[in-house]
Amino acid sequence: VSQSKCVQCSSCKVKSAMISSSLQALVGSISKRSLASPAARRSGGLATMMVAPSVSRNVLCEKVSFVGNNVSSSFRDATHAAASLTCTNYSQRRSVWSTGQSPPLARQRHPLCSLTPDEIITAAGAVKAFYARDGQNRPFFYDDPAFIRFVAISLQEPNLKVYPNPSRTAEVIILNTQTGLASELTVDLSHVMQVTSVKELPRGVQPLLTPDDCSLAESIAKSSPELQAALSERYDITDMSRVAADPWSVHLASEKDVAMADGGGPMPRRLVQTFLYQRMQGDGLEDNHYAHPIDILPVVDLNARELVHIEGLDRQPPPKVPDLDVNYHRDLVQSNSYLQSVWRAGALKALDITQPDGPSFRVDSNLVEWQDWKFRVGFNYREGLTLHQVEFGGRSVVNKLSLVEMAVPYADPNPPFPRKCAFDVGDYGLGYCANSLELGCDCLGHIHYFDAALADAKGEPYIVKKAICMHEEDDGILWKHVEYRNGHNEARRARELVISKICTVVNYEYLIYIRFKLNGEIEFEIRLSGELSTNLLSSGEDPADPAHGVLCAPGVNAQIHQHMFCARIDMAVDGDKNTVSEIDVVSHPDKTVDNTYGNIFGPTETVLKKEGEAVRMYDASKARYWKISNAEGKTNPITNKPTAYKLVPFTKGPAQPALLTAPDSAVSRKGEFATAHLWVTPYDETERYPAGEYTPQAQEPDGLPVWVKDNESIEGKDVVLWHAFGVTHVPRVEDFPVMNCEMTAFSLKPDGFSSGNPAIDLPPETNEKSKLDTGCCSS
């Protein structure tokens, strides 16, 4: 072993002597450990070898973890394979970060920086080494990558309130392909480079479906001889390349569904239902297959890698698959059967967004500064975009802000649609669904991009380039007044700093924009686009008037559904200790005051003292909002009241209801977070997701309804607000073949945080590039 050389030493510039020296140290370590007692050798204890700090910290050769006291000869080959994986294309990996910046060195990396590709490799290697033992618990080097299927490798976000200088730690979720059981592990990335904790999850607990899982589900379904025979017999479809199988998690809506998920075998089932469509145009994936739904529904088991069941085969005769072309793809618009088939005349003229002096923001790794704002940008496989340590004017506002769950129930009671319900964050992960954004299309202007590093099912890193976009936008007039007596005008234009990401979750696009404003406001906006998840009408339905949907094309139904989002807002208004109150604006709030003229109306404030009191509904008739006030003695110099921000729901789009499914339904039990617009809990680093850590095939309530049962005090505490909001979607014909954006938003607005208008210091300016249209009014 000591004479071996790393095959990539010339690329990674690590001298072969250093590698040789490191391996000699390893041999010495093994020799010493071989003198341990037989009992110690049977224990299979975890050993770690660390090499000299002079070895490049960009190379995995410096840290080799293994389990046990004996190492087979294949250890050498695996060590160099790991080193090769790390070194290969390292120069290319260094170019993908934040608009080409290199990832910060370990000693410069902030604790909230997302994992780098090398850290993902280190974490995966430590996990593989940890499981490198045979049935007798005797160590051998892990040779079968199919034994472990990685679900996620992500930064374990440190609690900086308690540990200001924490170690870098990865949290890892894996599936054991031999047992079907999932496990959670943590890996120390700062010191020992090894697994530090393991928790095996109970049978039946299913982690989210990764992109590799979704691809596997479609492959299992389409390669099934049973499905191929059914499609051939019912629809004369023999070319499976023209079949799309959309992967959906299986929502357990009935006892029959529960029994199907259990299976009764030694290995639990990991189910995916795949809604089928036919592609009729083009040579690839261009055709809008949602115009051609197929009525049968295969369900597959990812653990057994087999088809479990095909629903709908009893429907005879089979309904006709709609065959009219309804396309939006630029190469197939001309094939449309009844929609526009040529580009419109009088194309729009160019509208260029330019900033000749560059942007006004500054970026250092994941730290962003813009005007009075400062915050850190994060990204992970589940939440996608996260924002941390948000400050305005050097004062804390929010510790962390992110979108943590989404319930999407469909309102069709006909089989198999009662189980058509997705929890898109917990089932698929918004980070895994993130787009690579396109300059000049998804984002206009002077753009700064952040890339994201994620792990595939083998534990190997891959880069989502341009996963997060940051740019400035003009937003019209921020404030204005004209002194009518002399005509003097004072006006300032509004500019926003926009942090955005776009996620494609099978058929839908979610466009998430977090907008920082010059006046201290933050707006969290979600736009919904993409494709409707269509279906054929069920047997017995009126083909001209569907009971549970809308005809969006001839013979094509789009079901009524909801998108219920949940944002986790870890507030920190001028400090960690805050108090939340509910503000209603009502007529004649104080009945002890005479209201002779009937013109009194005003706010009433109710402090939310315990978790049970803080499960609240929005009421537009009372202009309801929730105020988050400092509880550490910080007061406003004008009002002498605690400094505060307020959460204002539905600042874009109409006010929307909470979850509309019946209280005793499986959707409402699993998605209870969406039955109220607000929940407030004391901060707990283990309470991360409002429907629980694992949503696929989950049955019992978890998350928020469980956490608030003890009805803890929340007054004057470090609190987290959970804001549920969404869109109730009754589809329109105009939503097809691709949906124009619907939108919803909430805002965090300063309410006694400043001494006055925080944007009063904006200097006046006139845009000299603006032009007067020829023939318009005179100047």
Side-chain angles (χ1 to χ4, degrees), residues 383 385-387 400-404 514 524 566-569:
E383 298 158 284
L385 170 64
T386 60
L387 296 182
K400 182 181 177 182
L401 174 62
S402 63
L403 187 67
V404 287
I514 303 178
F524 194 113
C566 186
R568 181 181 182 275
I569 316 168

Side-chain angles (χ1 to χ4, degrees), residues 6-171:
C6 173
V7 295
Q8 293 290 334
C9 288
S10 59
S11 298
C12 64
K13 303 188 187 305
V14 177
K15 296 187 180 299
S16 59
M18 290 183 178
I19 298 295
S20 177
S21 174
S22 300
L23 291 171
Q24 286 175 353
L26 171 61
V27 172
S29 174
I30 296 171
S31 299
K32 291 178 182 179
R33 293 184 63 84
S34 67
L35 300 177
S37 65
R41 289 198 297 272
R42 285 195 301 272
S43 69
L46 190 66
T48 304
M49 182 278 292
M50 297 290 294
V51 307
S54 59
V55 178
S56 168
R57 292 200 60 81
N58 294 326
V59 183
L60 193 64
C61 304
E62 71 179 33
K63 42 189 181 286
V64 182
S65 300
F66 62 95
V67 172
N69 305 297
N70 300 306
V71 178
S72 72
S73 59
S74 63
F75 181 81
R76 173 196 63 219
D77 299 329
T79 299
H80 287 289
S84 176
L85 175 62
T86 305
C87 302
T88 301
N89 296 326
Y90 185 75
S91 60
Q92 288 91 326
R93 287 216 315 279
R94 287 183 62 83
S95 70
V96 290
W97 188 249
S98 174
T99 55
Q101 296 178 11
S102 297
L105 297 175
R107 63 180 178 273
Q108 301 170 335
R109 200 169 297 147
H110 188 273
L112 293 173
C113 282
S114 303
L115 293 187
T116 65
D118 286 342
E119 287 178 315
I120 290 173
I121 292 172
T122 300
V127 170
K128 292 176 181 179
F130 181 79
Y131 285 103
R133 50 181 83 179
D134 64 12
Q136 287 72 46
N137 205 34
R138 290 195 300 268
F140 70 98
F141 197 81
Y142 173 76
D143 291 317
D144 181 10
F147 176 80
I148 296 176
R149 190 171 176 88
F150 285 88
V151 176
I153 302 175
S154 188
L155 175 73
Q156 184 179 73
E157 289 182 7
N159 183 355
L160 298 181
K161 304 170 187 178
V162 179
Y163 305 105
N165 296 300
S167 298
R168 296 276 289 176
T169 302
E171 56 181 33

Side-chain angles (χ1 to χ4, degrees), residues 106-373:
R107 63 180 178 273
Q108 301 170 335
R109 200 169 297 147
H110 188 273
L112 293 173
C113 282
S114 303
L115 293 187
T116 65
D118 286 342
E119 287 178 315
I120 290 173
I121 292 172
T122 300
V127 170
K128 292 176 181 179
F130 181 79
Y131 285 103
R133 50 181 83 179
D134 64 12
Q136 287 72 46
N137 205 34
R138 290 195 300 268
F140 70 98
F141 197 81
Y142 173 76
D143 291 317
D144 181 10
F147 176 80
I148 296 176
R149 190 171 176 88
F150 285 88
V151 176
I153 302 175
S154 188
L155 175 73
Q156 184 179 73
E157 289 182 7
N159 183 355
L160 298 181
K161 304 170 187 178
V162 179
Y163 305 105
N165 296 300
S167 298
R168 296 276 289 176
T169 302
E171 56 181 33
V172 182
I173 304 172
I174 65 164
L175 275 169
N176 183 324
T177 61
Q178 296 183 350
T179 65
L181 300 180
S183 298
E184 301 171 345
L185 304 94
T186 58
V187 178
D188 185 323
L189 298 173
S190 295
H191 303 108
V192 296
M193 317 297 180
Q194 67 186 26
V195 172
T196 53
S197 71
V198 182
K199 176 184 176 183
E200 189 169 282
L201 301 177
R203 174 188 168 93
V205 172
Q206 295 293 342
L208 60 71
L209 301 170
T210 68
D212 288 330
D213 289 333
C214 292
S215 297
L216 176 61
E218 184 165 16
S219 175
I220 294 170
K222 291 171 64 172
S223 63
S224 163
E226 184 180 353
L227 179 62
Q228 292 174 4
L231 291 174
S232 175
E233 179 182 343
R234 293 172 69 88
Y235 307 110
D236 197 28
I237 297 174
T238 56
D239 183 356
M240 295 304 290
S241 70
R242 292 196 170 272
V243 175
D246 278 11
W248 283 59
S249 61
V250 174
H251 170 66
L252 305 182
S254 66
E255 292 301 320
K256 179 182 176 182
D257 296 334
V258 173
M260 179 173 62
D262 180 77
M267 185 183 297
R269 282 175 169 168
R270 183 164 166 81
L271 298 178
V272 178
Q273 53 188 345
T274 57
F275 292 95
L276 299 181
Y277 305 88
Q278 185 178 7
R279 296 189 183 96
M280 295 187 175
Q281 289 286 333
D283 298 323
L285 305 180
E286 299 88 357
D287 189 40
N288 175 25
H289 54 268
Y290 296 102
H292 317 296
I294 299 171
D295 69 326
I296 59 176
L297 175 64
V299 180
V300 302
D301 177 9
L302 298 184
N303 284 340
R305 303 199 176 194
E306 66 183 13
L307 180 73
V308 174
H309 177 63
I310 302 177
E311 189 143 358
L313 292 177
D314 55 342
R315 185 177 182 179
Q316 295 293 342
K320 180 178 181 294
V321 176
D323 58 3
L324 293 180
D325 295 322
V326 192
N327 279 300
Y328 61 90
H329 192 285
R330 66 189 66 188
D331 295 336
L332 292 180
V333 166
Q334 71 275 8
S335 71
N336 280 337
S337 299
Y338 59 89
L339 284 182
Q340 301 95 315
S341 57
V342 296
W343 302 126
R344 66 175 57 183
L348 293 171
K349 295 184 179 180
L351 177 61
D352 296 325
I353 309 298
T354 61
Q355 292 180 269
D357 300 325
S360 302
F361 53 74
R362 295 184 299 278
V363 182
D364 181 8
S365 183
N366 71 335
L367 178 65
V368 175
E369 295 180 84
W370 180 77
Q371 296 298 297
D372 285 335
W373 289 106

